[in-house]
Amino acid sequence: MEMALYANIIIDISHEKLDRPFQYRVPENMKNALKIGMQVLVPFGNGSRMLRGYVIELTKEAEYDVQKIKEIASICEDSVAIETQLIALAFWMKKNYGGTMNQALKTVIPIKQKAAAKEKRRVCLTLVPEEANVRLAEFERKHNVARARLLEALIQEKELPYEVVTQKLHVALSVVQSMEKMGILCVKTEQEYRNPVKGRKTNDCHIVLNKEQQAAVDAVQKDRMAGWFGTYLLYGVTGSGKTEVYMELIAHNIAEGKQAIVLIPEIALTYQTVMRFYDRFGDRISILNSRLSAGERYDQFLRAKRGEIDIMIGPRSALFTPFSNLGLIIIDEEHENSYKSETVPRYHARETAIERAKMAGASVVLGSATPSVESFAKALQGEYQLLRMSKRIAEKPLPACYTVDLREELKMGNRSILSRKLQELMEERLAKGEQIMLFLNRRGMSGFVSCRACGHVMKCPHCDVSLSWHSNGRLVCHYCGYEEPEVSICPECGSKYISGFKAGTQKIEMIVKKRFPKAKVLRMDFDTTRNKEGHEKILSAFANQEADILVGTQMIVKGHDFPNVTLVGVLAADLSLYVSDYRASERTFQLLTQAAGRAGRGEKPGEVVIQTYQPEHYSVVTAAKQDYEAFFRQEMEYRKMLCYPPVWNMLVILSAAREEEAALRAANRMRRVIAALGCEGLFVIGPADAAVAKVNDIYKKVLYLKHEDYGLLVDVKDKLEHFLNGNRDLKDVMVQFDFNPMNGF
Ligand code: ADP
Ligand code: ZN
Ligand code: ZN
């Protein structure tokens, strides 16, 4: 690389004006030493006060009058490397995903907030093992399932973090209290816990890796020893032992005196997973979740910065843990949508992790049984190194999978949403006392209310969507929460033939209850889980086997392990295929594979019924066979044909405003700016209405851009940001950029 002559520098992070970098000349004697992210002293303003700044870019081109550019005074010796790295990362995010520097910095560096320090509590067993086992047998006999589950965990672990008990084991507070009264356990606060001599013993006798696992570990370690820090895609079927590979790599990493970040989608961060990490690494772990307040997150990050922990586990935002000697980033279930941010900057955790790793000298391991099409394509091209694990550890067979053609069902005179095959298998399970999960692809499938006389549909007055009928007799908007009472007379024509179809999952719940009157049915969807408690309550009730059947949406298919579930029914597999989104097939494949994976997690083998109107669709066919690579090949053909990512790159530009006219005008002006750039091979589509064209009285228009080269799209974004900044009359329009969208606007 040629030497940079100028450095773009952000002055003091607490300053409000930091949105703009200032340019300084790099003195001759610094040219070798100066790196992006370093802290420097620079003369600032008229008085040339010496202020600290961070180098965010090195360049050969002067952006100002060369005569007026001042020189960097010195590199700060005590330069806090980690902050500078994160700031450089924020700059990279701003550049690659759009938005302001401030928004990027706020994403990367948590804001210090005064939060009352929460007491950390632990639940500890007070009985000796023999007594505990006696009590356990007693609970099991009496079917005190929650008590038994907690006691069983305590016998194994001696003590558990309180959050693990309530959130991961799904044991209610009342149960903990009653067991405390019985003298089985006690709840200790952090102070008590920290003072005494003890500390959790970690498990030394860990699992011996099999050949495939060892090969994966060796591949990464060999590179690390040679000073090469790459990106690896660990493509391993469910149950092939990926988590053990992660832990082995982390152990190596810690032995080298480095730290590790493990990203796991929150919904998959289950009790079992958490405890495996605790068991292996003891207390040098911290766990983040999205329910933490900004202040709590700040505290966790402070612990990381002080070196009190070596491993941070959490969702997307854990990526910004300020470890100063980061050696490894693991992204489990790398295909998950939740790794893409839905707020500005709309970054993808995978790409951002790779960038952070580059700065820190760390390796990145992406793991999945169904890798994203992007990652698998990159692995095949050699950009990532592909590590395969094709054998399941316990040799548990994959569940048997039946595909039912719903058109045939209708022909045979079955008009129920439950196919004959599914009903038959359900009956069998209920007789055996095993559990069933029924999964509906989308919430509120037919929840709208319409007039049979004139066809009028009840819509939200603020959003471009129909209102959903709820069994409490109200009409609800799922986008903004607007509610109104049910109507008995059509507001358009006065007819009284206006009625609602019951929301999808509710309707199924009713059908199931009618068909199997003796079965206990639980429902989990947007309505029953509106508060977080609801979510946990339903899961714990189902885990406690208080119900035979769980009916739900997407949220029931991920992560949770219910060993007694031996049958999974996917009621309308293809609904997600109708979504107007180039990822529809990929998402359908993943959902079906995951849903199928819920069956037979325990000792008993599982079965899956996929009901669909498109049994011949390749997503359905390949998912039923659990054949990822067959799916990948067909999907890539489709993406190639239509120039979609990962073959090409895509930029969606949202233009939103209170006046529809204003949103449209801004989009049209941007389109003209783009046209004037004269980029060869650039596709521009739009302006068009966003998928939901109005939300909360804000109108949304979108432009779609496609080009092979990501860098060119970034340039277009830069030019548009510049244009928007220079046109004050557009300031009432909110413009956002989304590269290679996952969920769209
Ligand atoms: P994945 O993350 O790929 O789904 P896990 O790491 O959860 O797989 O492993 C599945 C199960 O197999 C776990 O219970 C784990 O403890 C066990 N396991 C993993 N590796 C081994 C091994 N080498 N020997 C014995 N058991 C193993
Ligand atoms: Zn009407
Ligand atoms: Zn609304």
Side-chain angles (χ1 to χ4, degrees):
M1 199 178 94
E2 270 182 79
M3 255 170 230
L5 301 175
Y6 304 98
N8 293 330
I9 290 170
I10 288 267
I11 311 281
D12 183 78
I13 155 161
S14 61
H15 208 277
E16 267 308 301
K17 286 269 155 58
L18 51 70
D19 236 67
R20 184 166 84 78
F22 295 85
Q23 199 164 57
Y24 286 85
R25 188 192 313 280
V26 182
E28 203 58 42
N29 62 357
M30 273 183 217
K31 277 188 180 151
N32 282 319
L34 197 67
K35 299 257 155 37
I36 288 180
M38 278 185 166
Q39 231 175 356
V40 290
L41 273 183
V42 291
F44 190 75
N46 285 337
S48 282
R49 262 188 317 147
M50 283 298 169
L51 289 181
R52 276 178 185 236
Y54 299 95
V55 179
I56 56 168
E57 197 174 22
L58 294 168
T59 166
K60 288 193 289 309
E61 276 153 53
E63 282 167 20
Y64 306 95
D65 179 357
V66 180
Q67 303 302 319
K68 289 190 183 153
I69 297 182
K70 297 178 191 174
E71 202 162 74
I72 296 173
S74 62
I75 298 175
C76 298
E77 286 302 328
D78 59 339
S79 170
V80 196
I82 183 51
E83 243 113 51
T84 60
Q85 227 176 63
L86 288 170
I87 286 162
L89 187 64
F91 181 74
W92 179 88
M93 287 164 71
K94 169 197 149 56
K95 174 116 188 102
N96 279 275
Y97 302 107
T100 66
M101 192 62 198
N102 243 329
Q103 286 167 321
L105 283 171
K106 278 187 188 136
T107 307
V108 165
I109 296 175
I111 301 146
K112 187 172 180 172
Q113 275 183 356
K114 286 237 155 54
K118 265 213 186 143
E119 248 180 3
K120 285 265 170 211
R121 288 180 292 173
R122 294 191 153 249
V123 178
C124 311
L125 182 66
T126 48
L127 299 180
V128 295
E130 296 75 38
E131 278 180 275
N133 282 319
V134 172
R135 301 305 289 263
L136 177 60
E138 193 181 310
F139 289 148
E140 279 172 348
R141 203 175 51 245
K142 289 188 189 158
H143 290 288
N144 290 333
V145 199
R147 284 180 186 171
R149 193 167 58 245
L150 175 54
L151 187 52
E152 203 175 352
L154 279 173
I155 289 171
Q156 215 158 58
E157 312 290 344
K158 299 288 176 289
E159 52 180 63
L160 295 160
Y162 193 77
E163 305 76 65
V164 168
V165 171
T166 53
Q167 292 174 27
K168 303 298 177 199
L169 277 177
H170 306 303
V171 173
L173 174 67
S174 57
V175 174
V176 177
Q177 286 168 340
S178 73
M179 287 172 75
E180 192 168 20
K181 282 208 195 95
M182 295 161 130
I184 294 171
L185 52 80
C186 63
V187 180
K188 288 184 189 168
T189 61
E190 178 92 359
Q191 260 100 24
E192 288 174 72
Y193 167 72
R194 272 199 180 162
N195 294 335
V197 242
K198 67 166 312 299
R200 239 187 98 78
K201 264 264 162 57
T202 57
N203 240 338
D204 285 334
C205 52
H206 55 258
I207 287 167
V208 180
L209 298 185
N210 68 23
K211 255 195 193 147
E212 282 188 327
Q213 289 171 315
Q214 193 60 50
V217 170
D218 290 346
V220 179
Q221 279 306 112
K222 196 178 90 231
D223 287 350
R224 292 174 64 84
M225 290 300 120
W228 164 253
F229 305 99
T231 301
Y232 306 82
L233 176 62
L234 181 59
Y235 161 45
V237 296
T238 315
S240 58
K242 295 187 287 296
T243 311
E244 293 300 327
V245 171
Y246 304 152
M247 290 199 290
E248 189 67 18
L249 287 170
I250 294 170
H252 279 294
N253 202 70
I254 291 176
E256 293 163 25
K258 296 192 168 181
Q259 299 107 24
I261 293 171
V262 184
L263 302 188
I264 296 182
E266 187 148 21
I267 205 145
L269 201 55
T270 57
Y271 167 76
Q272 287 99 334
T273 315
V274 170
M275 286 321 293
R276 278 167 79 181
F277 280 92
Y278 271 109
D279 271 348
R280 178 94 182 247
F281 300 107
D283 278 335
R284 298 203 49 90
I285 297 180
S286 182
I287 294 179
L288 280 188
N289 67 56
S290 62
R291 274 174 256 177
L292 296 182
S293 67
E296 286 168 322
R297 190 160 83 106
Y298 181 85
D299 289 345
Q300 296 298 320
F301 277 10
L302 205 61
R303 290 183 66 203
K305 207 164 123 181
R306 289 200 195 117
E308 291 171 19
I309 54 170
D310 301 314
I311 305 166
M312 180 65 91
I313 305 178
R316 195 173 67 222
S317 60
L319 180 56
F320 307 112
T321 307
F323 282 132
S324 56
N325 204 5
L326 183 66
L328 180 63
I329 303 175
I330 285 160
I331 305 186
D332 191 29
E333 311 278 357
E334 66 87 33
H335 59 273
E336 275 289 317
N337 277 353
S338 59
Y339 287 127
K340 175 93 191 263
S341 169
E342 293 304 310
T343 53
V344 180
R346 292 172 163 257
Y347 68 97
H348 198 296
R350 189 196 308 125
E351 298 157 0
T352 311
I354 292 170
E355 185 62 23
R356 176 156 189 206
K358 224 188 270 170
M359 294 173 179
S363 318
V364 178
V365 176
L366 313 169
S368 176
T370 55
S372 63
V373 171
E374 277 91 343
S375 293
F376 203 72
K378 283 189 171 148
L380 293 184
Q381 285 159 10
E383 191 174 333
Y384 304 159
Q385 195 178 323
L386 185 60
L387 309 171
R388 278 174 201 263
M389 297 204 300
S390 50
K391 291 195 205 70
R392 297 186 116 193
I393 297 287
E395 311 236 334
K396 263 183 221 157
L398 289 167
C401 200
Y402 310 98
T403 309
V404 174
D405 186 341
L406 287 173
R407 294 167 304 189
E408 289 297 318
E409 284 295 305
L410 202 60
K411 267 193 216 151
M412 302 300 289
N414 177 18
R415 304 185 62 186
S416 164
I417 190 145
L418 307 171
S419 64
R420 289 160 303 158
K421 179 78 185 172
L422 184 56
Q423 292 188 31
E424 176 195 312
L425 293 178
M426 284 174 76
E427 211 146 338
E428 203 183 296
R429 294 309 132 99
L430 291 172
K432 279 199 263 179
E434 295 172 9
Q435 288 175 294
I436 302 162
M437 284 168 103
L438 295 182
F439 161 59
L440 183 71
N441 217 332
R442 270 162 90 198
R443 107 164 95 95
M445 175 170 72
S446 53
F448 64 94
V449 174
S450 67
C451 170
R452 271 181 283 164
C454 76
H456 176 74
V457 173
M458 296 298 291
K459 280 193 154 187
C460 173
H462 309 289
C463 308
D464 170 40
V465 293
S466 51
L467 293 170
S468 292
W469 184 90
H470 284 232
S471 57
N472 62 2
R474 301 196 54 90
L475 302 178
V476 181
C477 170
H478 282 161
Y479 279 80
C480 72
Y482 170 86
E483 278 190 29
E484 61 178 52
E486 197 175 0
V487 289
S488 52
I489 288 179
C490 173
E492 274 305 300
C493 73
S495 151
K496 56 183 195 298
Y497 294 106
I498 184 158
S499 63
F501 297 90
K502 286 162 193 73
T505 39
Q506 282 186 356
K507 186 170 164 187
I508 287 160
E509 186 188 14
M510 284 167 58
I511 293 169
V512 170
K513 277 182 174 161
K514 209 164 149 197
R515 173 67 181 75
F516 301 102
K518 288 206 201 96
K520 280 188 234 107
V521 185
L522 276 174
R523 173 169 61 91
M524 186 152 121
D525 59 17
F526 181 76
D527 299 312
T528 53
T529 58
R530 197 158 306 178
N531 55 15
K532 300 274 184 191
E533 302 284 286
H535 191 250
E536 303 297 348
K537 259 193 217 144
I538 296 166
L539 288 179
S540 51
F542 195 59
N544 289 345
Q545 303 184 23
E546 287 163 26
D548 306 298
I549 304 172
L550 178 62
V551 176
T553 49
Q554 259 86 322
M555 56 180 86
I556 69 171
V557 306
K558 291 188 185 158
H560 319 292
D561 253 344
F562 300 110
N564 197 40
V565 170
T566 56
L567 176 62
V568 169
V570 184
L571 297 182
D574 32 52
L575 274 188
S576 59
L577 285 174
Y578 299 124
V579 180
S580 56
D581 170 352
Y582 70 90
R583 290 180 200 270
S585 302
E586 183 177 8
R587 200 163 303 148
T588 302
F589 176 82
Q590 286 164 354
L591 277 172
L592 294 182
T593 317
Q594 276 170 350
R598 294 302 104 201
R601 310 284 277 195
E603 297 302 311
K604 296 162 240 166
E607 285 178 307
V608 183
V609 176
I610 297 179
Q611 303 188 163
T612 173
Y613 287 101
Q614 294 184 62
E616 68 288 342
H617 191 285
Y618 65 90
S619 299
V620 177
V621 174
T622 54
K625 283 198 249 161
Q626 306 257 324
D627 187 349
Y628 171 78
E629 284 175 66
F631 167 77
F632 174 82
R633 282 191 299 272
Q634 301 210 33
E635 182 65 11
M636 276 304 274
E637 285 306 314
Y638 161 77
R639 305 270 178 110
K640 256 183 220 150
M641 197 164 70
L642 295 172
C643 299
Y644 281 131
V647 183
W648 278 39
N649 287 288
M650 205 166 161
L651 169 60
V652 183
I653 305 167
L654 170 76
S655 155
R658 293 217 161 266
E659 309 286 329
E660 185 170 14
E661 192 47 38
L664 190 62
R665 201 171 337 116
N668 273 318
R669 284 178 68 182
M670 284 191 283
R671 180 162 185 150
R672 283 198 291 277
V673 172
I674 295 164
L677 295 173
C679 302
E680 205 171 312
L682 181 67
F683 272 97
V684 186
I685 302 163
D689 282 349
V692 177
K694 184 172 81 156
V695 172
N696 252 328
D697 290 322
I698 306 274
Y699 290 88
K700 296 173 150 195
K701 303 286 171 191
V702 283
L703 286 168
Y704 296 93
L705 276 58
K706 284 199 279 187
H707 196 274
E708 276 181 283
D709 180 8
Y710 192 97
L712 182 132
L713 295 177
V714 170
D715 280 346
V716 171
K717 180 229 25 157
D718 285 344
K719 300 263 164 47
L720 285 174
E721 279 183 335
H722 188 76
F723 163 75
L724 293 165
N725 285 335
N727 284 274
R728 288 280 136 215
D729 58 313
L730 289 175
K731 74 177 190 314
D732 291 340
V733 180
M734 184 193 66
V735 174
Q736 281 188 14
F737 300 92
D738 193 0
F739 288 88
N740 294 338
M742 301 282 285
N743 299 309
F745 286 109

